Each structure stands twice: as C-alpha cells, then as structure tokens.
Amino acid sequence: MAASTTLTVNYTRIQTLTSYFQHCRSKRWINQKTVNRRSPFCQSLKRHAATVVSGTGLAQQIHKEVQSDTAKLVAQGNRRPHLSVILVGDDHATASLLGMSSSTIFRPSSVSQEEMLELIDKFNRDRSISGLLVQLPLPEHFSERAICNAVAPEKDVDGFHIVNIGKLCLDQRCMVPATAAAVWEIIRRTGIETVGKNVLVVGRSKNVGMPIAMLLHSDRNHERPGGDATVVMAHRCTPLPRLKELASLADIVIAAAGVPHLITADILKEGAAVIDVGINRMQDPVTGKLCLVGDVDFEAVKEKAGFISPVPGGVGPMAVAMVMKNTVTAAKNAPTY
Amino acid sequence: MAASTTLTVNYTRIQTLTSYFQHCRSKRWINQKTVNRRSPFCQSLKRHAATVVSGTGLAQQIHKEVQSDTAKLVAQGNRRPHLSVILVGDDHATASLLGMSSSTIFRPSSVSQEEMLELIDKFNRDRSISGLLVQLPLPEHFSERAICNAVAPEKDVDGFHIVNIGKLCLDQRCMVPATAAAVWEIIRRTGIETVGKNVLVVGRSKNVGMPIAMLLHSDRNHERPGGDATVVMAHRCTPLPRLKELASLADIVIAAAGVPHLITADILKEGAAVIDVGINRMQDPVTGKLCLVGDVDFEAVKEKAGFISPVPGGVGPMAVAMVMKNTVTAAKNAPTY
C-alpha cells in the first residue's frame, strides 16, 4: 500500500490555521518533541474542535492512485482491470457507486444457490475479469459462506473467502475486507500513530470489527504490516460501565457496533482519534425524513476528540475506494500468460 | 466439546475444605447470589491461596473421554483412530508423550521440502491415518507455512492449515490449535465464567495468543462457541505501565508472551484467574540445573489470584491431550466408505 502520511490536513472540513494548530495539539501523544517546540503558541489557543477526516477526500486520493495504476498496467500491455458485480434482488443502489471499469449482473431474488455457484464459477474462469464481488446480504435461501468461498480467492475483492480470512489473520498478503481496509487507510493517511497505542474496537462482526482488530494489533514488520497497537475487542456482551472504562484509556476508538450514539463525548479521552463505522438509518425528529447516523455522537465528540471521521462521508466512500484498489491489486497479481 | 463445568474441585492440588470455600470466595464475581448465601461463613475465613488448576488432572479426564470415544467408534465398525507424527531432526522428545494409537516417522534435518511434501501427500491419501502432525519448528530451509498448508485440513490435528485458521476466525467448527484449545478447556472445566468478563491475552503468536483471543471474544451461540468476553490483545509493543493498567482490570489473564515472571502479583486484580502458557527454560540459581518456568511469578500470584495454572503441569499436558482429542474428532469426521 503506497500510503502517504503527509496529507493529513489536505482532506479536512475545517481547514483554517486554528484547526491546524489544533491538529498539532491533538497529536501531542504522537510526537512530543515536535509539539513541545510549538507548545507556548499552542497552549495560548482555546480548545478547538477535532480535525474532521474526510473519507470522501481520501477516497478521491485513492481513486487517482487506482487510475494511475490502471493506466500503467494497460500501458505495459496487460488487460484493463475489470470488476464484475453480482446483485441479487431489487435493491440496486450500490452498483452506480463503483465507478471503475465494471459490469453488473442482476439476478432476481428467486435465483437458486446452484445457479449462483455456476455463475461464479464461470466468472472465476473468465480471464477478462480481475475482481468479482457478490453484493451481500443475500436472500435467506442462500448460504452466504458457500457463496463467499466459491469466489476464487485471487478475484475476491471483498476479502471474504475463507483463505483470505486465514491469510489476514496470519499477517500474510491478501485481499483485506474493504471496510477494514478503509479504516486502516484512514488511520495511515491521516498520520494517526498506532504503535504501542491503545485501540478500542467496538463490534466484532466478521467483515468489520474482527478484521480491524487483526490489522491493528499485528506486527508492523510482517508480510502484511500491522499496527502494533494494544487492541481491545468489545461488543454487545461488554457491560456499559466496562466499555466506558476501556474507552477512557483508548487513544483510538473504532465504533462498529451498529448502535446510534453509542460513543459519547463523556467516555472518551481528550484528543482521541474516533473512526465511526456505524451506518444506522434513523428518522429525523424535526423533518421526519430518514437519515444516516453513525455510532458516534458526532457533534459532542467533535469538541473533545483529536480526529473524527463523519457519517456519512467518512468510512463509506473509503470502503468503495478500497474495493477498486483491491480490483487493481487483483489485476496486478493475475497471470499474464 | 463435551465440557463439564462441575469438576472444578476434583483436579486441584489443594483439596481441603478451606480451599473449597476459598474457591467459592474467588468465584464471587461469577455468581453473586450463591456466594451471598454462604458469605457469613466465607467471610470468617482468612484469605487463602488460589485454587491451583492441575492440567495433568484435567488431561487425564480428557484421556478417559478419548479412550471412551475411541472404543465407541471401533465398536461401531470404524477404523481405530490413528495419529501419525512426522519428526524432523534429532530431538525426538515429544513422540513418547503422545500415548494413543500412533506412528512416528523420523526424517533427518537434511530432508528436503519436496520430500516432506511428498510424504505428507502420501499420508493425506492413506485412509488408515486419521490425524497427521508435523512437529514444529522445522529446520530453516523449510517454509513452515507451506508444510502446514500441505496437511489435509480434515487431518490437521494441529489446526495450523490456512483453512482451519480461517474457520477458527469465522467461528466455524474446525480443528482448533492444541494450545489454544487447552486454555479453552481449562477455563471451561474449571468453571471460570467468561461472558462479559475482561480477558487480557499477553502475546499474539499465531498458534497461541491469536487463536485464544479468537475463542474468548467470540459469540457463545455460533457454530464454534466462543467465550463472549471483552478481550485485550497485548504484546511486546504494549508499554509496561499500560500492561499493568489493563491487568488490573482483568478477570482472566492468559500469559503467553514467553517472558519469565512477566505477570507479577502487584499488577493483578484480587481473585483473577491466571492461565500460564509460557514455557521458558531457565537455570536454577541454587542447583544450576535447567528448569521450566512460566510467564507468571507463580508463588506470589498464587496468594492473590482466584485460580492459577502452574508450569509445568498446567497447559502443557492439556495441549497434548487436545491433540489426541483432535485426532478422535478427525476419525469421527472421516468418511466411512
């Protein structure tokens, strides 16, 4: 991953001089020396809101890298990277988001598992397809695990194949599940330090919380580099007082529980980095319209955190970008014969 | 796993009445109601040392279950479960420990990876072999990952095949790495509660710390039941003051770092359960002889903990028993045609 850690301030909503100094202050635990030199000036400033990390902005950065990598591959005489997406049922909302060279295959909810497995097998053998993604969730008559394991591991841009999960957990190079990869890239590209830091991951789902914990706790010198952080895996069996206790120790909080406003300002450490992975549909009490909210009480937490990623516009667009990045990686690794 | 949680007191070194009441006291956080009824009597007792969990005793219990399962399988007309062990190099110490119907194949350190892969392939296809184990570590000219992935997943009693690791991390039924399975069984058979408790796992190795964290944090209602605990993954990048802070919050501490006396009494919560997975060879300062010590300062911690597993005689014999249990499981799952 060609992650740059120098672009922190480029993709923030609050891009004023004061927010820059706030950014320095909130990074106190990252680089004490640097900040000490600035401290007389920083300390004279009033406490300001967190740096808001724009996932949309970072995603644009990745889009550019993907475009450039694609152009290089094609210039070297390779096939153009191609993503195929299989959508089952009537909700086709996500297809148009994917942007890159792609094809989308629609099947009705009544499609059988056998037909799907045949379709996947056909796509696995089609050398013009670099990456293959089956949109989850699937109707109830499917075994999602069987479908995920049917996709060839080298085309599995979702990173859900059993072998990709195994490799992820053994720190081997692999397709990393897109949302977990998105959180990783946000942390890296925002310059948030992880080595020896305390990370609280709230939520243990197999496609988000678990892989995020795997990425962040593992060794930075392994084949697939990890974050070398101390990682706490909390979830719905964690009693609330215990969650608060652990949150107050955390330098980084990853909220992936699917519980609106679970992470409030009072339980956080001043200056913590807060990445919101929650996507909850709620009715606006004033307008009555449906809206998206995360797991974090954004407005209040923004005043206390050092960094915060919003919902929408945070992890979401980054996850889409990571699918595209995975597709180019798949194309790079594909045999050229 | 036919784990019984009622045999706690049968396999303890300290098996007196006072140790039984101490056992009740140390379980205060497990079942407040039960203990409250006893508290006038319990509180009149002086604080006593922890219940020492005998891995040797628990292993004997598993040996009996394995023998009984084996007899049933054979009585039903199946082949006798058979474990094949491949040992490379000169250190043959472990072979004699394994006790059950087994064969051991020796190869010199000079054996090539290709020869080993051929041997494993032959054993994979041999229907008389239920379980296959290649003793690690291997000489430097081997890729241990390639060897682990060569063993057929259904015969992989070590649980190191990439597919078994993937299944483990997705909470699917699988061969669980023996040492992690040993820790799980010790906790279950000693009646130590895990749901909603704080577990500190110190050490993140791929065959011990990581799979233990996976078992203990995951959902008790999944295909492969988990412990539903809040799990902290700490390791050598965790600063010592932070380790102490997290240890003081832990109801259960799993020490698997390979650092002698890392876990001391002063950093623990009174009544915590401490499972020592460390195996460190040290010279006795008095006799000059080599001896085995764990990661826990046993003598001091025993006075503060609720439960403690010793080294030697704790996780070690249980891990051997779990290899045998995995072998019988492999035999049960083998096709009978």
Side-chain angles (χ1 to χ4, degrees):
Chain A
M1 279 178 266
S4 156
T5 56
T6 57
L7 286 150
T8 320
V9 191
N10 292 354
Y11 296 100
T12 57
R13 270 200 214 149
I14 306 164
Q15 191 133 14
T16 61
L17 194 65
T18 49
S19 86
Y20 178 66
F21 285 116
Q22 165 51 27
H23 166 71
C24 299
R25 257 187 88 210
S26 64
K27 281 181 75 175
R28 200 162 26 200
W29 44 268
I30 299 174
N31 193 339
Q32 199 62 46
K33 264 192 192 159
T34 320
V35 177
N36 278 349
R37 265 182 265 131
R38 286 186 184 133
S39 60
F41 189 36
C42 286
Q43 279 165 9
S44 72
L45 289 171
K46 216 178 129 277
R47 162 82 205 170
H48 288 277
T51 299
V52 179
V53 182
S54 165
T56 315
L58 288 175
Q60 281 166 2
Q61 187 179 333
I62 291 173
H63 283 222
K64 278 184 199 147
E65 292 169 16
V66 168
Q67 275 177 340
S68 156
D69 283 359
T70 302
K72 265 187 223 155
L73 269 178
V74 174
Q76 286 162 2
N78 297 291
R79 279 206 181 83
R80 184 171 295 277
H82 183 94
L83 173 66
S84 282
V85 180
I86 305 178
L87 288 176
V88 178
D90 303 321
D91 181 9
H92 300 156
T94 52
S96 61
L97 285 175
L98 291 163
M100 81 177 292
S101 161
S102 69
S103 55
T104 307
I105 297 88
F106 300 101
R107 286 290 179 273
S109 309
S110 59
V111 66
S112 73
Q113 175 148 322
E114 203 174 13
E115 279 175 82
M116 279 287 280
L117 292 175
E118 276 169 23
L119 191 63
I120 292 169
D121 183 53
K122 193 181 110 190
F123 286 9
N124 283 344
R125 284 181 285 108
D126 184 340
R127 283 171 50 205
S128 73
I129 294 172
S130 328
L132 176 56
L133 186 154
V134 182
Q135 188 69 33
L136 302 181
L138 288 167
E140 278 199 356
H141 64 281
F142 281 95
S143 156
E144 286 192 353
R145 185 37 49 206
I147 297 294
C148 290
N149 286 353
V151 176
E154 64 276 13
K155 295 192 178 186
D156 171 38
V157 290
D158 245 349
F160 292 162
H161 189 285
I162 191 86
V163 165
N164 278 321
I165 295 287
K167 286 183 169 180
L168 175 78
C169 298
L170 292 176
D171 310 348
Q172 295 184 289
R173 209 170 289 117
C174 65
M175 292 288 182
V176 177
T179 307
V183 171
W184 174 264
E185 286 290 309
I186 285 175
I187 289 174
R188 278 287 165 275
R189 292 179 186 234
T190 309
I192 297 166
E193 184 56 275
T194 60
V195 178
K197 299 298 172 195
N198 255 26
V199 177
L200 172 63
V201 180
V202 190
R204 58 179 168 180
S205 70
K206 297 303 177 188
N207 50 358
V208 184
M210 186 279 282
I212 287 171
M214 281 296 126
L215 291 173
L216 287 173
H217 95 280
S218 53
D219 193 315
R220 83 199 98 152
N221 295 317
H222 281 186
E223 185 183 300
R224 189 270 302 133
D228 267 335
T230 307
V231 172
V232 182
M233 291 187 282
H235 42 79
R236 66 186 160 74
C237 297
T238 306
L240 209 55
R242 192 40 68 93
L243 184 71
K244 289 180 179 179
E245 209 164 33
L246 293 165
S248 72
L249 297 176
D251 304 304
I252 303 170
V253 175
I254 319 283
V259 179
H261 294 181
L262 178 66
I263 305 301
T264 49
D266 58 307
I267 68 173
L268 292 172
K269 188 158 97 172
E270 180 103 15
V274 181
I275 313 285
D276 194 348
V277 195
I279 300 179
N280 309 292
R281 273 167 232 280
M282 286 184 79
Q283 202 167 25
D284 189 299
V286 181
T287 64
K289 282 184 187 168
L290 277 181
C291 60
L292 282 188
V293 297
D295 288 358
V296 176
D297 181 6
F298 183 81
E299 290 305 328
V301 168
K302 189 178 71 178
E303 300 302 317
K304 193 171 188 183
F307 294 93
I308 186 167
S309 79
V311 174
V315 173
M318 276 297 277
V320 176
M322 296 318 291
V323 168
M324 295 165 69
K325 198 174 158 79
N326 278 348
T327 304
V328 176
T329 304
K332 281 183 191 165
N333 295 340
T336 47
Y337 52 84
Chain B
M1 278 177 269
S4 158
T5 54
T6 58
L7 286 150
T8 319
V9 191
N10 292 354
Y11 295 99
T12 57
R13 270 199 216 153
I14 306 164
Q15 190 133 16
T16 61
L17 195 65
T18 49
S19 85
Y20 178 65
F21 285 115
Q22 165 50 29
H23 165 70
C24 299
R25 260 187 85 211
S26 64
K27 281 179 76 175
R28 202 164 23 205
W29 44 268
I30 300 174
N31 191 339
Q32 198 62 44
K33 264 191 191 160
T34 321
V35 177
N36 278 348
R37 266 182 262 130
R38 286 186 186 131
S39 60
F41 189 36
C42 286
Q43 278 167 9
S44 72
L45 289 170
K46 213 179 133 276
R47 161 85 206 171
H48 289 275
T51 298
V52 179
V53 183
S54 165
T56 315
L58 289 175
Q60 280 165 3
Q61 188 179 331
I62 290 173
H63 283 222
K64 279 183 200 150
E65 292 168 16
V66 168
Q67 274 177 339
S68 156
D69 283 359
T70 302
K72 266 187 221 156
L73 270 178
V74 175
Q76 285 162 1
N78 298 292
R79 279 204 182 83
R80 183 171 296 278
H82 183 93
L83 174 66
S84 282
V85 180
I86 305 178
L87 290 176
V88 177
D90 303 321
D91 180 10
H92 298 157
T94 53
S96 61
L97 283 175
L98 290 164
M100 81 178 291
S101 161
S102 68
S103 54
T104 308
I105 295 86
F106 301 101
R107 286 289 179 275
S109 309
S110 59
V111 66
S112 73
Q113 175 148 320
E114 203 173 16
E115 278 176 82
M116 280 287 280
L117 291 176
E118 276 169 23
L119 190 63
I120 292 170
D121 183 53
K122 193 180 111 189
F123 286 9
N124 283 344
R125 285 182 285 107
D126 185 340
R127 285 171 48 206
S128 72
I129 293 173
S130 328
L132 175 56
L133 187 154
V134 181
Q135 189 69 34
L136 302 180
L138 289 167
E140 278 199 357
H141 63 280
F142 281 95
S143 155
E144 287 192 352
R145 185 39 46 207
I147 296 293
C148 289
N149 286 352
V151 176
E154 63 275 13
K155 294 192 177 186
D156 170 37
V157 292
D158 246 349
F160 292 163
H161 189 284
I162 190 87
V163 165
N164 278 320
I165 296 288
K167 285 183 169 181
L168 175 78
C169 297
L170 292 176
D171 309 348
Q172 294 183 290
R173 210 170 287 117
C174 66
M175 293 287 182
V176 178
T179 306
V183 171
W184 175 263
E185 286 291 308
I186 286 175
I187 289 174
R188 278 287 165 274
R189 292 179 185 234
T190 310
I192 297 166
E193 185 56 275
T194 59
V195 178
K197 299 297 172 193
N198 255 27
V199 176
L200 172 63
V201 179
V202 191
R204 58 180 168 179
S205 71
K206 297 303 176 189
N207 51 356
V208 184
M210 186 279 282
I212 287 171
M214 282 294 127
L215 291 173
L216 287 172
H217 95 279
S218 53
D219 193 315
R220 84 198 98 151
N221 295 317
H222 282 186
E223 186 183 300
R224 190 269 302 134
D228 267 335
T230 307
V231 171
V232 181
M233 293 187 281
H235 43 79
R236 65 186 160 75
C237 297
T238 306
L240 209 55
R242 193 39 70 92
L243 183 71
K244 288 181 180 178
E245 209 164 30
L246 293 164
S248 72
L249 297 176
D251 304 304
I252 304 170
V253 175
I254 318 282
V259 179
H261 293 181
L262 177 67
I263 305 299
T264 49
D266 59 305
I267 68 172
L268 292 173
K269 189 158 97 172
E270 181 104 15
V274 181
I275 313 284
D276 193 349
V277 194
I279 300 178
N280 309 293
R281 274 165 232 280
M282 286 184 79
Q283 202 167 25
D284 188 297
V286 181
T287 65
K289 282 184 187 167
L290 277 181
C291 60
L292 281 188
V293 297
D295 288 358
V296 176
D297 181 4
F298 183 81
E299 290 306 328
V301 168
K302 189 177 73 179
E303 301 301 318
K304 193 173 187 184
F307 295 92
I308 186 167
S309 79
V311 173
V315 174
M318 275 297 278
V320 177
M322 296 317 292
V323 168
M324 298 165 67
K325 198 175 158 78
N326 278 349
T327 305
V328 176
T329 303
K332 281 183 191 166
N333 295 340
T336 49
Y337 52 82

